[in-house]
């Protein structure tokens, strides 16, 4: 799933990018990623995992639906920025683009996406595509959310970790 921007830094360029967005204050990463994809494309999704994250990044990316999501603290709107590459699973396929911000939306094959000149020249996008391809080939595990309650807060939150490798460790009898 890729979009072309009607407004923003990629406006008017022949560049397809993954849906992106900014979390609302107090919004969890997984809920913000689901909301942003729905707002921009009309597609319902479920959160799978965080594949990678970077601080102080420019954000623009997503694949099958591997979506980028920004959580800001001080850079944009006086906040610094964390960039999250998230994998979402589509639950619907009927595209309904957001008219205000999005010029076009479409499903795109991996090879067609990586063939774009901008993607080939950008180091961040090259890493993102390698991560997504490794994930598709089952050679990569990201960070899955587990709903928790901590004594630090009475509210539910999510702890994100590599559950595949932790489960291997725990099943082998090795304790952390």
């Amino acid at each position: 799933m890729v979009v072309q921007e009607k407004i923003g830094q990629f406006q008017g360029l022949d560049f397809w990018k993954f849906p992106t967005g900014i979390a609302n204050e107090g919004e969890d990463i997984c809920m913000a990623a689901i909301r942003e994809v729905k707002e921009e494309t009309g597609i319902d999704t479920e959160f799978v995992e965080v594949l990678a994250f970077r601080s102080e990044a420019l954000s623009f990316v997503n694949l099958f639906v591997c979506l980028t999501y920004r959580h800001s603290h001080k850079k944009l709107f006086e906040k610094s920025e964390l960039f999250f590459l998230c994998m979402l699973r589509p639950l619907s396929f009927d595209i309904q683009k957001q008219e205000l911000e999005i010029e076009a939306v479409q499903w795109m094959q991996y090879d067609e996406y990586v063939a774009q000149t901008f993607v080939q020249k950008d180091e961040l996008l090259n890493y993102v595509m390698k991560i997504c391809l490794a994930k598709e080939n089952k050679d990569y595990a990201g960070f899955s959310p587990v709903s928790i309650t901590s004594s630090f807060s009475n509210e539910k939150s999510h702890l994100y970790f590599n559950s595949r490798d932790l489960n291997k460790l725990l099943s082998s009898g090795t304790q952390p």
Side-chain angles (χ1 to χ4, degrees), residues 17 19 43-44 48 64 67-68 71 74 81 86 99 130 136 139 152 161 168 175:
K17 70 178 200 69
I43 300 297
D44 293 312
V48 177
F64 59 73
L67 138 94
T68 61
H71 180 79
K74 298 247 191 253
E81 184 172 271
C86 301
E99 293 297 328
K130 288 174 185 173
E136 186 175 36
D139 294 330
F152 297 110
F161 60 92
K168 284 182 192 176
Q175 294 298 315

Side-chain angles (χ1 to χ4, degrees), residues 3-4 12 15 20 24 27 54 61 73 82 100 108 111-112 114 121 151 158 170:
V3 300
Q4 286 186 329
F15 172 61
T20 58
N24 295 324
E27 187 177 29
R54 177 182 175 209
V61 202
H73 289 293
L82 295 174
L100 180 64
M108 181 179 282
D111 292 342
E112 187 179 351
V114 298
K121 291 181 178 181
S151 40
H158 290 97
L170 295 176

Side-chain angles (χ1 to χ4, degrees), residues 2-166:
V2 291
V3 300
Q4 286 186 329
E5 291 185 343
K6 190 178 278 188
I7 58 175
Q9 77 182 84
F10 299 110
Q11 171 188 357
L13 300 178
D14 188 27
F15 172 61
W16 290 94
K17 70 178 200 69
F18 299 113
T20 58
I22 298 173
N24 295 324
E25 187 172 333
E27 187 177 29
D28 190 79
I29 295 166
C30 58
M31 297 312 296
I34 290 168
R35 177 185 53 75
E36 284 291 341
V37 169
K38 177 71 172 178
E39 286 177 4
E40 291 187 5
T41 69
I43 300 297
D44 293 312
T45 60
E46 68 179 339
F47 187 88
V48 177
E49 61 190 9
V50 172
L51 295 177
F53 61 92
R54 177 182 175 209
S55 63
E56 300 296 323
L58 297 175
S59 39
F60 40 77
V61 202
N62 170 44
L63 171 68
F64 59 73
V65 175
C66 243
L67 138 94
T68 61
Y69 158 76
R70 297 179 338 200
H71 180 79
S72 295
H73 289 293
K74 298 247 191 253
K75 185 170 185 178
L76 183 64
F77 307 117
E78 301 288 320
K79 300 180 183 219
S80 64
E81 184 172 271
L82 295 174
F83 164 91
F84 291 86
L85 175 64
C86 301
M87 181 176 174
L88 305 177
R89 182 175 295 115
L91 300 175
S92 66
F93 298 90
D94 184 28
I95 294 171
Q96 297 175 18
K97 75 176 175 91
Q98 180 190 55
E99 293 297 328
L100 180 64
E101 297 178 12
I102 305 300
E103 185 66 37
V105 179
Q106 71 178 26
W107 296 98
M108 181 179 282
Q109 294 294 318
Y110 176 86
D111 292 342
E112 187 179 351
Y113 180 82
V114 298
Q116 296 181 98
T117 303
F118 187 81
V119 173
Q120 292 177 1
K121 291 181 178 181
D122 186 84
E123 186 177 17
L124 173 62
L125 292 178
N126 270 272
Y127 274 106
V128 165
M129 299 320 302
K130 288 174 185 173
I131 289 167
C132 291
L133 186 58
K135 178 63 182 173
E136 186 175 36
N137 293 332
K138 300 183 181 1
D139 294 330
Y140 185 86
F143 303 95
S144 301
V146 174
S147 184
I148 62 163
T149 305
S150 168
S151 40
F152 297 110
S153 168
N154 292 331
E155 296 183 25
K156 282 278 190 192
S157 64
H158 290 97
L159 176 64
Y160 294 83
F161 60 92
N162 177 326
S163 58
R164 180 187 76 177
D165 293 340
L166 179 62

